[in-house]
Amino acid sequence: DLPALVIWGEHDAYVPSSYAVRQRELFPSADVHVLASSGHWPFVDAADTVERLLMRFLGSLLRRAGVRA
């Protein structure tokens, strides 16, 4: 059960957003986010949201590892 961050666009035309939650089959503790206003490229469609989620996720990993910013 490795740390995992899943960010998926609800309107992904190539891979349905239902696959986002399915990531927990391999990563039970995955932090899953389906972005309502995004398609296949959430990092483009919702860059600010993706940045916020990524920074929060990485910060939590650093804190768990005992790294101080």
Short mmCIF file of all heavy atoms in Angstrom, two decimals:
data_model
loop_
_atom_site.label_atom_id
_atom_site.label_comp_id
_atom_site.label_asym_id
_atom_site.label_seq_id
_atom_site.Cartn_x
_atom_site.Cartn_y
_atom_site.Cartn_z
N ASP A 1 0.85 -1.18 0.00
CA ASP A 1 0.00 0.00 0.00
C ASP A 1 0.89 1.25 0.00
O ASP A 1 1.21 1.79 1.04
CB ASP A 1 -0.91 -0.02 1.21
CG ASP A 1 -1.94 1.10 1.18
OD1 ASP A 1 -2.14 1.67 0.09
OD2 ASP A 1 -2.51 1.40 2.22
N LEU A 2 1.32 1.64 -1.17
CA LEU A 2 2.17 2.82 -1.33
C LEU A 2 1.32 4.08 -1.37
O LEU A 2 0.18 4.05 -1.83
CB LEU A 2 2.97 2.71 -2.62
CG LEU A 2 3.93 1.52 -2.70
CD1 LEU A 2 4.52 1.44 -4.11
CD2 LEU A 2 5.01 1.66 -1.67
N PRO A 3 1.88 5.20 -0.94
CA PRO A 3 1.15 6.47 -1.07
C PRO A 3 0.89 6.75 -2.55
O PRO A 3 1.76 6.53 -3.39
CB PRO A 3 2.12 7.50 -0.49
CG PRO A 3 3.11 6.73 0.30
CD PRO A 3 3.19 5.38 -0.31
N ALA A 4 -0.31 7.20 -2.84
CA ALA A 4 -0.66 7.50 -4.23
C ALA A 4 -1.64 8.66 -4.27
O ALA A 4 -2.55 8.75 -3.44
CB ALA A 4 -1.27 6.28 -4.91
N LEU A 5 -1.44 9.52 -5.23
CA LEU A 5 -2.36 10.63 -5.49
C LEU A 5 -2.95 10.40 -6.87
O LEU A 5 -2.22 10.25 -7.85
CB LEU A 5 -1.62 11.96 -5.45
CG LEU A 5 -2.42 13.19 -5.86
CD1 LEU A 5 -3.58 13.44 -4.88
CD2 LEU A 5 -1.51 14.41 -5.92
N VAL A 6 -4.26 10.35 -6.94
CA VAL A 6 -4.96 10.15 -8.21
C VAL A 6 -5.78 11.40 -8.48
O VAL A 6 -6.64 11.78 -7.68
CB VAL A 6 -5.89 8.91 -8.15
CG1 VAL A 6 -6.65 8.75 -9.45
CG2 VAL A 6 -5.09 7.66 -7.81
N ILE A 7 -5.49 12.05 -9.60
CA ILE A 7 -6.25 13.23 -10.03
C ILE A 7 -6.79 12.91 -11.41
O ILE A 7 -6.02 12.63 -12.34
CB ILE A 7 -5.37 14.49 -10.06
CG1 ILE A 7 -4.76 14.75 -8.68
CG2 ILE A 7 -6.18 15.69 -10.55
CD1 ILE A 7 -3.74 15.87 -8.64
N TRP A 8 -8.11 12.94 -11.54
CA TRP A 8 -8.76 12.51 -12.78
C TRP A 8 -9.78 13.55 -13.21
O TRP A 8 -10.44 14.16 -12.37
CB TRP A 8 -9.50 11.20 -12.52
CG TRP A 8 -9.51 10.24 -13.65
CD1 TRP A 8 -10.27 10.29 -14.79
CD2 TRP A 8 -8.74 9.05 -13.76
NE1 TRP A 8 -10.04 9.22 -15.58
CE2 TRP A 8 -9.08 8.43 -14.96
CE3 TRP A 8 -7.80 8.44 -12.94
CZ2 TRP A 8 -8.51 7.23 -15.37
CZ3 TRP A 8 -7.24 7.25 -13.35
CH2 TRP A 8 -7.60 6.67 -14.56
N GLY A 9 -9.94 13.73 -14.48
CA GLY A 9 -10.97 14.62 -14.99
C GLY A 9 -12.28 13.87 -15.18
O GLY A 9 -12.30 12.81 -15.79
N GLU A 10 -13.33 14.41 -14.65
CA GLU A 10 -14.65 13.77 -14.76
C GLU A 10 -15.08 13.58 -16.21
O GLU A 10 -15.76 12.63 -16.56
CB GLU A 10 -15.70 14.59 -14.02
CG GLU A 10 -17.07 13.96 -14.00
CD GLU A 10 -18.07 14.76 -13.19
OE1 GLU A 10 -17.67 15.43 -12.22
OE2 GLU A 10 -19.26 14.72 -13.55
N HIS A 11 -14.64 14.47 -17.07
CA HIS A 11 -15.05 14.44 -18.47
C HIS A 11 -13.96 13.90 -19.39
O HIS A 11 -13.89 14.26 -20.56
CB HIS A 11 -15.48 15.83 -18.92
CG HIS A 11 -16.57 16.39 -18.07
ND1 HIS A 11 -17.87 15.93 -18.10
CD2 HIS A 11 -16.55 17.36 -17.11
CE1 HIS A 11 -18.60 16.60 -17.22
NE2 HIS A 11 -17.82 17.46 -16.60
N ASP A 12 -13.12 12.99 -18.86
CA ASP A 12 -12.07 12.37 -19.66
C ASP A 12 -12.71 11.58 -20.79
O ASP A 12 -13.48 10.66 -20.56
CB ASP A 12 -11.22 11.45 -18.77
CG ASP A 12 -9.95 10.97 -19.45
OD1 ASP A 12 -9.97 10.73 -20.68
OD2 ASP A 12 -8.94 10.85 -18.75
N ALA A 13 -12.40 11.96 -22.03
CA ALA A 13 -12.99 11.32 -23.20
C ALA A 13 -12.31 10.00 -23.56
O ALA A 13 -12.81 9.26 -24.40
CB ALA A 13 -12.93 12.28 -24.38
N TYR A 14 -11.18 9.71 -22.94
CA TYR A 14 -10.41 8.52 -23.30
C TYR A 14 -10.49 7.42 -22.25
O TYR A 14 -10.58 6.25 -22.58
CB TYR A 14 -8.94 8.89 -23.54
CG TYR A 14 -8.79 9.95 -24.60
CD1 TYR A 14 -8.56 11.27 -24.24
CD2 TYR A 14 -8.92 9.64 -25.94
CE1 TYR A 14 -8.44 12.26 -25.21
CE2 TYR A 14 -8.81 10.61 -26.91
CZ TYR A 14 -8.57 11.92 -26.53
OH TYR A 14 -8.47 12.89 -27.49
N VAL A 15 -10.42 7.78 -20.99
CA VAL A 15 -10.48 6.82 -19.89
C VAL A 15 -11.54 7.32 -18.90
O VAL A 15 -11.38 8.39 -18.32
CB VAL A 15 -9.11 6.69 -19.18
CG1 VAL A 15 -9.18 5.60 -18.11
CG2 VAL A 15 -8.00 6.40 -20.18
N PRO A 16 -12.62 6.56 -18.72
CA PRO A 16 -13.71 7.03 -17.86
C PRO A 16 -13.24 7.33 -16.44
O PRO A 16 -12.35 6.67 -15.90
CB PRO A 16 -14.69 5.85 -17.85
CG PRO A 16 -14.34 5.04 -19.06
CD PRO A 16 -12.88 5.25 -19.30
N SER A 17 -13.87 8.31 -15.84
CA SER A 17 -13.49 8.72 -14.48
C SER A 17 -13.77 7.63 -13.45
O SER A 17 -13.22 7.68 -12.35
CB SER A 17 -14.18 10.02 -14.09
OG SER A 17 -15.59 9.86 -14.10
N SER A 18 -14.56 6.64 -13.80
CA SER A 18 -14.80 5.52 -12.87
C SER A 18 -13.51 4.79 -12.55
O SER A 18 -13.39 4.14 -11.50
CB SER A 18 -15.83 4.55 -13.45
OG SER A 18 -15.36 4.01 -14.68
N TYR A 19 -12.53 4.90 -13.41
CA TYR A 19 -11.23 4.27 -13.17
C TYR A 19 -10.46 4.96 -12.04
O TYR A 19 -9.55 4.37 -11.46
CB TYR A 19 -10.38 4.26 -14.44
CG TYR A 19 -10.77 3.15 -15.37
CD1 TYR A 19 -11.79 3.31 -16.28
CD2 TYR A 19 -10.11 1.92 -15.33
CE1 TYR A 19 -12.16 2.29 -17.14
CE2 TYR A 19 -10.47 0.90 -16.17
CZ TYR A 19 -11.51 1.08 -17.07
OH TYR A 19 -11.87 0.06 -17.92
N ALA A 20 -10.80 6.18 -11.73
CA ALA A 20 -10.10 6.89 -10.65
C ALA A 20 -10.25 6.15 -9.33
O ALA A 20 -9.26 5.87 -8.65
CB ALA A 20 -10.63 8.32 -10.53
N VAL A 21 -11.47 5.82 -8.99
CA VAL A 21 -11.73 5.13 -7.73
C VAL A 21 -11.17 3.70 -7.78
O VAL A 21 -10.71 3.17 -6.77
CB VAL A 21 -13.23 5.12 -7.40
CG1 VAL A 21 -13.54 4.32 -6.16
CG2 VAL A 21 -13.72 6.55 -7.24
N ARG A 22 -11.14 3.11 -8.95
CA ARG A 22 -10.60 1.75 -9.09
C ARG A 22 -9.10 1.70 -8.77
O ARG A 22 -8.57 0.61 -8.52
CB ARG A 22 -10.86 1.22 -10.49
CG ARG A 22 -12.34 0.92 -10.72
CD ARG A 22 -12.59 0.18 -11.99
NE ARG A 22 -11.91 -1.12 -11.94
CZ ARG A 22 -11.64 -1.82 -13.02
NH1 ARG A 22 -11.96 -1.37 -14.21
NH2 ARG A 22 -11.04 -2.98 -12.92
N GLN A 23 -8.44 2.83 -8.75
CA GLN A 23 -7.02 2.84 -8.40
C GLN A 23 -6.81 2.32 -6.98
O GLN A 23 -5.74 1.81 -6.64
CB GLN A 23 -6.44 4.25 -8.53
CG GLN A 23 -6.50 4.81 -9.94
CD GLN A 23 -5.80 3.92 -10.94
OE1 GLN A 23 -4.64 3.60 -10.80
NE2 GLN A 23 -6.53 3.52 -11.96
N ARG A 24 -7.84 2.41 -6.16
CA ARG A 24 -7.74 1.91 -4.78
C ARG A 24 -7.64 0.39 -4.71
O ARG A 24 -7.31 -0.16 -3.68
CB ARG A 24 -8.92 2.40 -3.95
CG ARG A 24 -8.83 3.88 -3.64
CD ARG A 24 -9.70 4.25 -2.46
NE ARG A 24 -9.56 5.65 -2.15
CZ ARG A 24 -10.53 6.55 -2.32
NH1 ARG A 24 -11.71 6.18 -2.77
NH2 ARG A 24 -10.31 7.81 -2.00
N GLU A 25 -7.91 -0.29 -5.82
CA GLU A 25 -7.73 -1.75 -5.84
C GLU A 25 -6.24 -2.09 -5.67
O GLU A 25 -5.90 -3.11 -5.08
CB GLU A 25 -8.27 -2.34 -7.14
CG GLU A 25 -9.78 -2.22 -7.26
CD GLU A 25 -10.31 -2.61 -8.63
OE1 GLU A 25 -9.55 -3.19 -9.44
OE2 GLU A 25 -11.50 -2.34 -8.89
N LEU A 26 -5.38 -1.26 -6.21
CA LEU A 26 -3.93 -1.47 -6.08
C LEU A 26 -3.31 -0.60 -5.00
O LEU A 26 -2.28 -0.95 -4.43
CB LEU A 26 -3.24 -1.20 -7.42
CG LEU A 26 -3.62 -2.16 -8.54
CD1 LEU A 26 -2.98 -1.72 -9.85
CD2 LEU A 26 -3.17 -3.57 -8.19
N PHE A 27 -3.90 0.56 -4.77
CA PHE A 27 -3.40 1.51 -3.78
C PHE A 27 -4.54 1.84 -2.82
O PHE A 27 -5.21 2.87 -2.98
CB PHE A 27 -2.89 2.79 -4.45
CG PHE A 27 -1.83 2.55 -5.48
CD1 PHE A 27 -2.14 2.53 -6.83
CD2 PHE A 27 -0.51 2.33 -5.10
CE1 PHE A 27 -1.15 2.31 -7.79
CE2 PHE A 27 0.47 2.11 -6.04
CZ PHE A 27 0.16 2.09 -7.39
N PRO A 28 -4.78 0.99 -1.83
CA PRO A 28 -5.95 1.14 -0.95
C PRO A 28 -6.07 2.50 -0.26
O PRO A 28 -7.18 2.95 0.01
CB PRO A 28 -5.79 0.03 0.08
CG PRO A 28 -4.92 -0.98 -0.59
CD PRO A 28 -4.01 -0.21 -1.49
N SER A 29 -4.96 3.14 0.02
CA SER A 29 -5.00 4.43 0.71
C SER A 29 -4.88 5.61 -0.25
O SER A 29 -4.60 6.73 0.18
CB SER A 29 -3.87 4.51 1.75
OG SER A 29 -4.03 3.50 2.70
N ALA A 30 -5.09 5.37 -1.52
CA ALA A 30 -4.93 6.44 -2.51
C ALA A 30 -5.80 7.63 -2.18
O ALA A 30 -6.94 7.49 -1.73
CB ALA A 30 -5.27 5.92 -3.91
N ASP A 31 -5.25 8.80 -2.40
CA ASP A 31 -5.96 10.07 -2.24
C ASP A 31 -6.54 10.37 -3.63
O ASP A 31 -5.82 10.78 -4.53
CB ASP A 31 -4.96 11.14 -1.80
CG ASP A 31 -5.59 12.45 -1.43
OD1 ASP A 31 -6.83 12.53 -1.41
OD2 ASP A 31 -4.84 13.41 -1.18
N VAL A 32 -7.83 10.11 -3.81
CA VAL A 32 -8.47 10.17 -5.13
C VAL A 32 -9.30 11.45 -5.26
O VAL A 32 -10.12 11.76 -4.39
CB VAL A 32 -9.37 8.94 -5.37
CG1 VAL A 32 -10.08 9.02 -6.71
CG2 VAL A 32 -8.55 7.66 -5.27
N HIS A 33 -9.08 12.14 -6.37
CA HIS A 33 -9.83 13.36 -6.67
C HIS A 33 -10.30 13.32 -8.12
O HIS A 33 -9.48 13.17 -9.03
CB HIS A 33 -8.95 14.60 -6.48
CG HIS A 33 -8.43 14.73 -5.10
ND1 HIS A 33 -9.11 15.40 -4.11
CD2 HIS A 33 -7.31 14.25 -4.52
CE1 HIS A 33 -8.42 15.33 -2.99
NE2 HIS A 33 -7.32 14.63 -3.21
N VAL A 34 -11.60 13.44 -8.32
CA VAL A 34 -12.17 13.54 -9.66
C VAL A 34 -12.62 14.99 -9.82
O VAL A 34 -13.49 15.46 -9.09
CB VAL A 34 -13.34 12.55 -9.86
CG1 VAL A 34 -13.95 12.73 -11.24
CG2 VAL A 34 -12.87 11.12 -9.65
N LEU A 35 -12.01 15.67 -10.77
CA LEU A 35 -12.28 17.10 -10.95
C LEU A 35 -13.41 17.30 -11.95
O LEU A 35 -13.31 16.92 -13.12
CB LEU A 35 -11.01 17.82 -11.43
CG LEU A 35 -9.77 17.62 -10.53
CD1 LEU A 35 -8.61 18.46 -11.05
CD2 LEU A 35 -10.08 17.95 -9.09
N ALA A 36 -14.49 17.90 -11.47
CA ALA A 36 -15.71 18.07 -12.25
C ALA A 36 -15.53 18.91 -13.51
O ALA A 36 -16.23 18.71 -14.49
CB ALA A 36 -16.81 18.67 -11.38
N SER A 37 -14.59 19.83 -13.48
CA SER A 37 -14.44 20.74 -14.62
C SER A 37 -13.33 20.32 -15.57
O SER A 37 -12.94 21.10 -16.43
CB SER A 37 -14.16 22.15 -14.10
OG SER A 37 -12.94 22.16 -13.38
N SER A 38 -12.83 19.09 -15.44
CA SER A 38 -11.68 18.68 -16.24
C SER A 38 -12.00 17.53 -17.17
O SER A 38 -12.90 16.74 -16.94
CB SER A 38 -10.53 18.25 -15.33
OG SER A 38 -10.02 19.34 -14.65
N GLY A 39 -11.15 17.45 -18.20
CA GLY A 39 -11.20 16.34 -19.14
C GLY A 39 -9.98 15.46 -18.94
O GLY A 39 -9.61 15.13 -17.82
N HIS A 40 -9.33 15.11 -20.05
CA HIS A 40 -8.21 14.17 -20.02
C HIS A 40 -6.95 14.78 -19.39
O HIS A 40 -6.10 14.04 -18.91
CB HIS A 40 -7.92 13.69 -21.44
CG HIS A 40 -6.95 12.58 -21.52
ND1 HIS A 40 -7.20 11.33 -21.00
CD2 HIS A 40 -5.71 12.52 -22.06
CE1 HIS A 40 -6.16 10.55 -21.22
NE2 HIS A 40 -5.24 11.23 -21.87
N TRP A 41 -6.83 16.08 -19.41
CA TRP A 41 -5.62 16.74 -18.89
C TRP A 41 -5.96 17.71 -17.75
O TRP A 41 -5.93 18.93 -17.92
CB TRP A 41 -4.91 17.49 -20.02
CG TRP A 41 -4.39 16.60 -21.07
CD1 TRP A 41 -3.35 15.73 -20.98
CD2 TRP A 41 -4.88 16.47 -22.40
NE1 TRP A 41 -3.16 15.07 -22.16
CE2 TRP A 41 -4.10 15.51 -23.06
CE3 TRP A 41 -5.93 17.08 -23.10
CZ2 TRP A 41 -4.31 15.14 -24.37
CZ3 TRP A 41 -6.15 16.71 -24.41
CH2 TRP A 41 -5.34 15.75 -25.02
N PRO A 42 -6.22 17.19 -16.57
CA PRO A 42 -6.57 18.07 -15.45
C PRO A 42 -5.48 19.08 -15.12
O PRO A 42 -5.78 20.18 -14.67
CB PRO A 42 -6.79 17.13 -14.27
CG PRO A 42 -6.92 15.77 -14.84
CD PRO A 42 -6.28 15.79 -16.19
N PHE A 43 -4.23 18.72 -15.37
CA PHE A 43 -3.14 19.65 -15.07
C PHE A 43 -3.17 20.87 -15.97
O PHE A 43 -2.58 21.90 -15.66
CB PHE A 43 -1.77 18.95 -15.15
CG PHE A 43 -1.48 18.33 -16.48
CD1 PHE A 43 -0.84 19.04 -17.48
CD2 PHE A 43 -1.85 17.02 -16.74
CE1 PHE A 43 -0.58 18.47 -18.71
CE2 PHE A 43 -1.59 16.43 -17.97
CZ PHE A 43 -0.95 17.16 -18.96
N VAL A 44 -3.91 20.78 -17.08
CA VAL A 44 -4.11 21.93 -17.97
C VAL A 44 -5.44 22.60 -17.65
O VAL A 44 -5.51 23.82 -17.50
CB VAL A 44 -4.07 21.50 -19.45
CG1 VAL A 44 -4.43 22.66 -20.37
CG2 VAL A 44 -2.70 20.93 -19.81
N ASP A 45 -6.49 21.78 -17.53
CA ASP A 45 -7.84 22.30 -17.31
C ASP A 45 -8.02 22.97 -15.95
O ASP A 45 -8.81 23.90 -15.82
CB ASP A 45 -8.88 21.17 -17.40
CG ASP A 45 -8.90 20.48 -18.74
OD1 ASP A 45 -8.49 21.10 -19.74
OD2 ASP A 45 -9.33 19.31 -18.79
N ALA A 46 -7.32 22.45 -14.94
CA ALA A 46 -7.50 22.96 -13.57
C ALA A 46 -6.13 23.01 -12.89
O ALA A 46 -5.91 22.41 -11.84
CB ALA A 46 -8.46 22.06 -12.81
N ALA A 47 -5.22 23.74 -13.50
CA ALA A 47 -3.82 23.78 -13.03
C ALA A 47 -3.71 24.19 -11.56
O ALA A 47 -2.94 23.58 -10.80
CB ALA A 47 -3.01 24.71 -13.91
N ASP A 48 -4.46 25.17 -11.14
CA ASP A 48 -4.38 25.64 -9.74
C ASP A 48 -4.82 24.55 -8.77
O ASP A 48 -4.19 24.33 -7.73
CB ASP A 48 -5.22 26.90 -9.53
CG ASP A 48 -4.65 28.11 -10.24
OD1 ASP A 48 -3.45 28.09 -10.58
OD2 ASP A 48 -5.40 29.08 -10.44
N THR A 49 -5.88 23.85 -9.11
CA THR A 49 -6.38 22.78 -8.25
C THR A 49 -5.39 21.63 -8.19
O THR A 49 -5.10 21.10 -7.11
CB THR A 49 -7.75 22.27 -8.75
OG1 THR A 49 -8.67 23.37 -8.75
CG2 THR A 49 -8.28 21.15 -7.88
N VAL A 50 -4.85 21.26 -9.34
CA VAL A 50 -3.87 20.17 -9.38
C VAL A 50 -2.63 20.55 -8.56
O VAL A 50 -2.12 19.74 -7.79
CB VAL A 50 -3.50 19.80 -10.83
CG1 VAL A 50 -2.31 18.85 -10.87
CG2 VAL A 50 -4.70 19.19 -11.54
N GLU A 51 -2.17 21.78 -8.70
CA GLU A 51 -1.01 22.24 -7.93
C GLU A 51 -1.29 22.15 -6.43
O GLU A 51 -0.47 21.66 -5.66
CB GLU A 51 -0.63 23.66 -8.31
CG GLU A 51 0.53 24.18 -7.50
CD GLU A 51 0.88 25.63 -7.79
OE1 GLU A 51 0.05 26.34 -8.42
OE2 GLU A 51 1.96 26.07 -7.39
N ARG A 52 -2.46 22.61 -6.01
CA ARG A 52 -2.82 22.59 -4.59
C ARG A 52 -2.87 21.15 -4.07
O ARG A 52 -2.30 20.85 -3.01
CB ARG A 52 -4.17 23.27 -4.38
CG ARG A 52 -4.66 23.29 -2.95
CD ARG A 52 -5.99 24.00 -2.79
NE ARG A 52 -7.03 23.60 -3.73
CZ ARG A 52 -7.76 22.48 -3.64
NH1 ARG A 52 -7.57 21.66 -2.63
NH2 ARG A 52 -8.68 22.20 -4.53
N LEU A 53 -3.49 20.25 -4.82
CA LEU A 53 -3.59 18.86 -4.39
C LEU A 53 -2.22 18.20 -4.35
O LEU A 53 -1.91 17.44 -3.41
CB LEU A 53 -4.52 18.08 -5.34
CG LEU A 53 -5.99 18.47 -5.30
CD1 LEU A 53 -6.74 17.80 -6.45
CD2 LEU A 53 -6.60 18.11 -3.96
N LEU A 54 -1.40 18.46 -5.33
CA LEU A 54 -0.07 17.88 -5.39
C LEU A 54 0.81 18.37 -4.24
O LEU A 54 1.50 17.58 -3.58
CB LEU A 54 0.59 18.18 -6.74
CG LEU A 54 1.97 17.59 -6.96
CD1 LEU A 54 1.96 16.08 -6.83
CD2 LEU A 54 2.49 18.00 -8.32
N MET A 55 0.78 19.67 -3.99
CA MET A 55 1.61 20.22 -2.91
C MET A 55 1.16 19.68 -1.55
O MET A 55 1.99 19.36 -0.70
CB MET A 55 1.56 21.75 -2.94
CG MET A 55 2.18 22.35 -4.19
SD MET A 55 3.89 21.83 -4.46
CE MET A 55 4.69 22.76 -3.16
N ARG A 56 -0.15 19.56 -1.36
CA ARG A 56 -0.66 19.02 -0.10
C ARG A 56 -0.23 17.56 0.07
O ARG A 56 0.21 17.15 1.15
CB ARG A 56 -2.18 19.14 -0.05
CG ARG A 56 -2.77 18.71 1.28
CD ARG A 56 -4.23 19.03 1.39
NE ARG A 56 -4.97 18.23 0.42
CZ ARG A 56 -6.23 18.46 0.06
NH1 ARG A 56 -6.87 19.49 0.56
NH2 ARG A 56 -6.84 17.69 -0.78
N PHE A 57 -0.31 16.78 -1.00
CA PHE A 57 0.08 15.38 -0.97
C PHE A 57 1.57 15.23 -0.68
O PHE A 57 1.98 14.46 0.19
CB PHE A 57 -0.28 14.71 -2.30
CG PHE A 57 0.15 13.28 -2.41
CD1 PHE A 57 -0.53 12.28 -1.73
CD2 PHE A 57 1.23 12.93 -3.21
CE1 PHE A 57 -0.12 10.96 -1.84
CE2 PHE A 57 1.63 11.62 -3.32
CZ PHE A 57 0.95 10.62 -2.64
N LEU A 58 2.39 15.97 -1.40
CA LEU A 58 3.84 15.90 -1.19
C LEU A 58 4.22 16.38 0.21
O LEU A 58 5.10 15.80 0.85
CB LEU A 58 4.58 16.70 -2.26
CG LEU A 58 4.47 16.15 -3.69
CD1 LEU A 58 5.14 17.10 -4.66
CD2 LEU A 58 5.06 14.75 -3.78
N GLY A 59 3.56 17.43 0.69
CA GLY A 59 3.81 17.92 2.04
C GLY A 59 3.52 16.85 3.08
O GLY A 59 4.28 16.69 4.04
N SER A 60 2.43 16.11 2.89
CA SER A 60 2.10 15.07 3.85
C SER A 60 3.13 13.95 3.84
O SER A 60 3.47 13.40 4.88
CB SER A 60 0.69 14.51 3.60
OG SER A 60 0.66 13.73 2.42
N LEU A 61 3.67 13.64 2.66
CA LEU A 61 4.72 12.62 2.58
C LEU A 61 5.98 13.08 3.30
O LEU A 61 6.62 12.30 4.01
CB LEU A 61 5.06 12.30 1.12
CG LEU A 61 3.99 11.58 0.31
CD1 LEU A 61 4.48 11.36 -1.11
CD2 LEU A 61 3.59 10.28 0.95
N LEU A 62 6.34 14.34 3.11
CA LEU A 62 7.53 14.88 3.77
C LEU A 62 7.36 14.88 5.28
O LEU A 62 8.29 14.54 6.02
CB LEU A 62 7.84 16.28 3.25
CG LEU A 62 8.34 16.35 1.81
CD1 LEU A 62 8.43 17.79 1.35
CD2 LEU A 62 9.67 15.64 1.67
N ARG A 63 6.18 15.29 5.75
CA ARG A 63 5.93 15.30 7.19
C ARG A 63 6.03 13.88 7.77
O ARG A 63 6.62 13.69 8.83
CB ARG A 63 4.57 15.92 7.51
CG ARG A 63 4.58 17.45 7.41
CD ARG A 63 3.28 18.05 7.91
NE ARG A 63 2.11 17.64 7.15
CZ ARG A 63 1.76 18.16 5.96
NH1 ARG A 63 2.49 19.10 5.39
NH2 ARG A 63 0.68 17.74 5.35
N ARG A 64 5.47 12.91 7.08
CA ARG A 64 5.53 11.52 7.55
C ARG A 64 6.97 11.02 7.59
O ARG A 64 7.31 10.17 8.40
CB ARG A 64 4.67 10.61 6.68
CG ARG A 64 3.21 10.80 6.95
CD ARG A 64 2.29 9.78 6.35
NE ARG A 64 2.77 8.96 5.28
CZ ARG A 64 2.01 8.45 4.33
NH1 ARG A 64 0.73 8.72 4.32
NH2 ARG A 64 2.52 7.68 3.40
N ALA A 65 7.80 11.52 6.68
CA ALA A 65 9.21 11.11 6.63
C ALA A 65 10.05 11.90 7.64
O ALA A 65 11.25 11.65 7.75
CB ALA A 65 9.75 11.31 5.22
N GLY A 66 9.44 12.87 8.30
CA GLY A 66 10.17 13.66 9.30
C GLY A 66 10.99 14.78 8.71
O GLY A 66 11.86 15.33 9.38
N VAL A 67 10.70 15.15 7.47
CA VAL A 67 11.43 16.24 6.82
C VAL A 67 10.75 17.55 7.16
O VAL A 67 9.53 17.70 7.02
CB VAL A 67 11.46 16.04 5.28
CG1 VAL A 67 12.14 17.22 4.60
CG2 VAL A 67 12.16 14.75 4.94
N ARG A 68 11.52 18.53 7.59
CA ARG A 68 10.97 19.85 7.91
C ARG A 68 11.25 20.79 6.78
O ARG A 68 12.36 20.84 6.25
CB ARG A 68 11.59 20.37 9.20
CG ARG A 68 11.25 19.46 10.38
CD ARG A 68 11.82 19.99 11.62
NE ARG A 68 10.96 21.10 12.04
CZ ARG A 68 11.11 21.76 13.17
NH1 ARG A 68 12.09 21.45 13.97
NH2 ARG A 68 10.31 22.74 13.49
N ALA A 69 10.26 21.55 6.40
CA ALA A 69 10.40 22.51 5.30
C ALA A 69 11.06 23.78 5.77
O ALA A 69 11.04 24.15 6.88
CB ALA A 69 9.05 22.81 4.69
#
